[in-house]
Amino acid sequence: ILKEIENSLKEGSRRKVCSKQREAAILGLLANKSLIKAFEAEGTKPPMDVINSNKKRWQSILNEC
């Protein structure tokens, strides 16, 4: 999805970029949740500072586009 957005912007087209960014953000947020579950299933502490930083970035993309 991100590569498709990058290519669209390189071609000068902003068509569907925002909807694709939202789609990527939703997947990114879901991936964060899955990552936390994977750490918990393994019995280790997830790196919450990094995960929360990524979460904020994805939420920003989701909300500002």
Side-chain angles (χ1 to χ4, degrees):
I1 295 171
L2 296 176
K3 191 64 170 171
E4 185 179 333
I5 293 168
E6 180 183 356
N7 289 338
S8 292
L9 292 173
K10 283 181 181 177
E11 294 169 359
S13 173
R14 295 195 53 83
R15 186 172 169 247
K16 296 185 181 181
V17 168
C18 205
S19 64
K20 288 293 184 183
Q21 284 179 324
R22 281 192 213 105
E23 185 180 348
I26 290 168
L27 291 175
L29 291 168
L30 289 172
N32 276 349
K33 288 181 183 180
S34 295
L35 183 59
I36 292 169
K37 288 180 184 179
F39 272 99
E40 290 171 350
E42 194 63 29
T44 58
K45 184 179 176 191
M48 291 308 294
D49 53 333
V50 175
I51 292 172
N52 285 332
S53 176
N54 286 331
K55 181 179 178 181
K56 286 179 187 177
R57 191 174 306 136
W58 286 122
Q59 285 176 327
S60 173
I61 291 170
L62 184 64
N63 296 329
E64 293 180 18
C65 190

